Amino acid sequence: MVPGAEERTRERLAVALAKGTNLAENESFLAEHRIEALFSVTPFAIQELVVLHAAHRRAIPAITSILSFDNITTRPPLPITFDRYLVWNAYNADEIRRGYPWVPPATIDIVGPGQFDFYADPQYVQDRATWLARIGVSPEVPTVLYGAGPPSVSPHEDQYVDDLIAAIRRGALPRDLKIVLRRHPNDHPERWERFRADPAVAFDDPGAVGTEHYRPGQVNMARAQIVDLCSALAHTDVHVSVSSTMTLDGAFFDKPQIAPAYDRRGGRRQRRRARELYEREHFLPIVASGGLELAASSDELVRQVRGALDRPDRLGPQRRAMLAAVCTFTDGGAIG
């Protein structure tokens, strides 16, 4: 870094905040309501930027709970120095220390993923027969949950559903296998619409696009959405997703986790990117645990799914090690 560059950047930021935002309005709000402390769960979101700076200017104590284990390394820098940091695991604590060396280590607390507490609460899992009936799947057939990611991360992943369907049709997977396709809450339905008429696919829709151009899970999840997610994780046999938090979600329910790491449609660059999705810093402990199987080809994906259907208990200890490494606490008491 050029000497003095950081100081000059901070000076320009201060001018921009004062002239180009409603910083004064936020400061007035905090003063008028006698706010004594601030708690942020999305400190990287631009919607929180100004109020965080307003609180910092007024010397209001602020605490942040980092929402996801990937946020520290994949999101923009934190806008202010917080008085306390709540993170998922030891890796996240180290990322805070490395990225923000002025932060006292004693202000970083490892608490686990608070938003996963509902996985330990049986009231969030619907009756199996009721849930399967809702998505049109017979209780007797085997199932693969395909948890799709956002197109910004995995624009190539529809080919994996194609590969599973092709394997069912040629008999490489059970003829009655159902692929339960669950779109990412922030994705638009058009990307997956071509699978709707396929008899091998059952849709588990997390919510329709609203008038505000986001799906109902992007800002806040209703209780019914949480129940549907937990039920999908609990009542499907094998889970497939691309470099996703869904791997951890499914491991909470001790289901086999498989991750395609290939791109048979793209060129060399796309093939490399499909592999490198699993080499991002936040995902390395998941891969290292051995609880996630990486598929380097469509044939390997099919073999892994077939093996997981036959032996769902295989890699159970590794999945538990994965949760211990990345989520730290799995007793449903992170918030309590």
Side-chain angles (χ1 to χ4, degrees), residues 170-295:
R170 68 174 182 267
L173 289 174
R175 297 281 187 182
D176 59 348
L177 177 67
K178 281 286 189 180
I179 302 166
V180 179
L181 178 55
R182 182 178 178 85
R183 291 195 306 273
H184 190 278
N186 294 350
D187 201 357
H188 287 261
E190 289 80 8
R191 189 156 78 113
W192 303 98
E193 193 62 29
R194 67 186 181 89
F195 295 109
R196 189 169 293 277
D198 196 295
V201 177
F203 272 68
D204 177 31
D205 193 345
V209 174
T211 56
E212 297 85 0
H213 303 293
Y214 59 78
R215 285 184 170 274
Q218 183 172 351
V219 175
N220 194 20
M221 289 186 73
R223 187 182 191 281
Q225 289 177 296
I226 297 174
V227 169
D228 186 53
L229 171 60
C230 292
S231 302
L233 295 166
H235 299 318
T236 48
D237 298 315
V238 177
H239 300 167
V240 179
S241 62
V242 177
S243 189
S244 171
T245 308
M246 286 290 283
T247 298
L248 299 170
D249 298 327
F252 264 85
F253 291 86
D254 198 25
K255 299 304 174 82
Q257 300 299 311
I258 298 171
Y262 63 90
D263 187 345
R264 55 178 172 74
R265 295 190 312 215
R268 180 183 301 175
R269 180 180 179 183
Q270 287 76 24
R271 293 194 297 271
R272 183 177 68 249
R273 184 179 185 277
R275 296 190 301 270
E276 290 177 347
L277 284 173
Y278 302 94
E279 298 171 7
R280 295 179 292 172
E281 182 174 353
H282 69 278
F283 219 81
L284 292 177
I286 291 178
V287 175
S289 72
L292 171 69
E293 293 187 274
L294 296 182

Side-chain angles (χ1 to χ4, degrees), residues 53 97 150 161 167 179 278 304 309-310 328 333:
H53 279 285
R97 288 191 293 267
V161 180
I179 302 166
Y278 302 94
Q304 290 170 348
L309 289 169
D310 293 339
T328 311

Side-chain angles (χ1 to χ4, degrees), residues 88 110-122 252 320 323-324 327-336:
W88 284 29
I110 298 171
V111 300
Q115 70 269 37
F116 283 4
D117 276 5
F118 47 69
Y119 289 152
D121 191 338
F252 264 85
R320 290 187 286 276
L323 291 175
C327 299
T328 311
F329 304 108
T330 58
D331 59 357
I335 295 176

